Amino acid sequence: MSLDQPLAPLPQEGMGFASAWPIRAGDVDPYDRLRFDAIARYLQDIAWENLHKTFFHRTDPNWIVRRTVIDVIRPILWPDEVQLLRWCSALSTRWTNMRVRVTSTNGGLIETEGFWINISESTGMPARISDEGLAYLGQTTQEHRLRWRPYLTDTAPAESDTDMPFPVRATDIDQYNHVNNACYWQAVEQFMVEYPKLLAGPHRAVIEYVAPVLARQHVTVRSRYEPGDRTGRPVLRLWFVVGGTTTTVVRIMPLPPE
C-alpha cells in the first residue's frame, strides 16, 4: 500500500477478531463526531482484547504501533454502538499490518490499518513473532514479506509563531514511559477545529511515529495547511518536534474518489 491506495479488504467474510461496545460521551466532539483520539483508543482496546482472548498474551505479549491510517468514510456519531473487526492484512517475521473495520449501528464506517511491531520484553527491540503467532496471523493474508516504508517523509518547516506547544501530562505516559500513541491525536483534534473543511467529506488521517516522546519532554507541533492543488484537495500536515528533532508526522486529507 501507498499513501493514496485503498486499504486491503477482508479476504473472506467470517474471518477476523470481533468486538463491540457503545460510544461513550467522552469519545466525541461538540458535534457528536467520534474523535480521532477515541478511534485510536478503540484500536488499542480491540488489540488488547485480541491479545488476551488468544494465545498471544503468552507467546507475543508486547507490541508497539509505528503507523496508523484512519479512513473516515461515513462518520460515526454519538449516541451509537460500534462493531469492530480486526485482522492481519500483511506480515513479516517481526511486524504486521493489522486492519480494523469500525462500523456502527446507525451506518457509520471507519476503515483503519496499523503497522504493529513485536517487541522483546528483555531488549525493547523488534523480535521474531512466534511460530504459533505467524500461523494465526497468516490466515487472513498471503503477503508474508511486509517491509517498513514511511509514507510521510516531508521535512518539518522552520520554527514559526504558528507553532503550538503540546504539554505532556502525567496521564499521557504509558507503561513504556512513552507518550501513548492515542494522545497525539488530541493535538490533531486541536487543529481540526481550525480546518473543518477536511472533515466535511470522506477523509484519511495518517500518523507515523518516528521516535518516542518521553515524560517531561517539551513538544511543539508545527503545521502547514495547503488549501488544495488543481484538484481542490486540501491537505493538513503536522510535525511533532522535540528539541529540534521530529518525533511524529501527521497528514490529513480527503479520500481520493473511487
Side-chain angles (χ1 to χ4, degrees), residues 34-190:
L34 183 66
R35 300 191 313 263
F36 284 125
D37 58 304
I39 297 167
R41 283 189 285 103
Y42 288 6
L43 303 183
Q44 290 179 358
D45 290 344
I46 192 171
W48 181 257
E49 285 191 22
N50 197 177
L51 202 73
H52 284 267
K53 292 187 178 179
T54 60
F55 55 83
F56 274 101
H57 69 283
R58 292 183 284 102
T59 61
D60 307 277
N62 299 296
W63 297 77
I64 60 170
V65 66
R66 183 74 192 273
R67 170 172 56 226
T68 301
V69 179
I70 299 175
D71 288 354
V72 179
I73 298 166
R74 295 188 297 273
I76 296 176
L77 304 175
W78 179 84
D80 204 347
E81 180 169 300
V82 290
Q83 299 83 39
L84 297 94
L85 184 66
R86 187 175 195 255
W87 72 93
C88 174
S89 59
L91 77 154
S92 187
T93 56
R94 289 174 171 80
W95 43 71
T96 174
N97 272 343
M98 298 302 297
R99 287 274 281 107
V100 178
R101 174 174 296 151
V102 187
T103 56
S104 80
T105 303
N106 292 333
L109 174 61
I110 297 173
E111 299 278 11
T112 78
E113 183 174 80
F115 190 101
W116 288 86
I117 303 175
N118 187 40
I119 297 296
S120 165
E121 191 169 13
S122 58
T123 68
M125 299 296 291
R128 189 183 188 279
I129 302 169
S130 66
D131 290 343
E132 195 176 6
L134 289 171
Y136 176 92
L137 295 167
Q139 295 177 86
T140 53
T141 181
Q142 298 299 314
E143 176 53 71
H144 292 185
R145 293 174 175 263
L146 175 65
R147 296 185 179 181
W148 167 257
R149 182 175 64 84
Y151 296 166
L152 309 179
T153 57
D154 299 336
T155 302
E159 184 177 356
S160 74
D161 56 7
T162 62
D163 291 358
M164 183 186 78
F166 182 57
V168 175
R169 303 162 299 185
T171 51
D172 297 335
I173 304 302
D174 63 18
Q175 64 267 43
Y176 299 105
N177 199 39
H178 300 163
V179 173
N180 183 273
N181 75 78
C183 295
Y184 294 84
W185 291 101
Q186 296 174 3
V188 174
E189 286 288 335
Q190 190 73 24

Side-chain angles (χ1 to χ4, degrees), residues 7-47:
L7 301 179
L10 181 68
Q12 181 180 332
E13 289 301 319
M15 305 187 84
F17 177 83
S19 190
W21 52 76
I23 299 172
R24 311 297 182 182
D27 296 339
V28 299
D29 71 5
Y31 305 100
D32 297 329
R33 174 188 63 94
L34 183 66
R35 300 191 313 263
F36 284 125
D37 58 304
I39 297 167
R41 283 189 285 103
Y42 288 6
L43 303 183
Q44 290 179 358
D45 290 344
I46 192 171

Side-chain angles (χ1 to χ4, degrees), residues 3 150-160 162-167 184-185 187-188 191 195 206-211 213 218-226 235-252:
L3 186 61
Y151 296 166
L152 309 179
T153 57
D154 299 336
T155 302
E159 184 177 356
S160 74
T162 62
D163 291 358
M164 183 186 78
F166 182 57
Y184 294 84
W185 291 101
V188 174
F191 281 91
Y195 302 107
V206 182
I207 189 166
E208 290 186 344
Y209 304 98
V210 182
V213 175
H218 297 282
V219 185
T220 298
V221 186
R222 296 178 186 168
S223 63
R224 179 185 295 151
Y225 178 73
E226 300 168 7
V235 177
L236 175 64
R237 308 171 199 265
L238 304 175
W239 296 264
F240 291 70
V241 179
V242 175
T245 299
T246 299
T247 67
T248 309
V249 189
V250 179
R251 190 179 300 182
I252 302 99

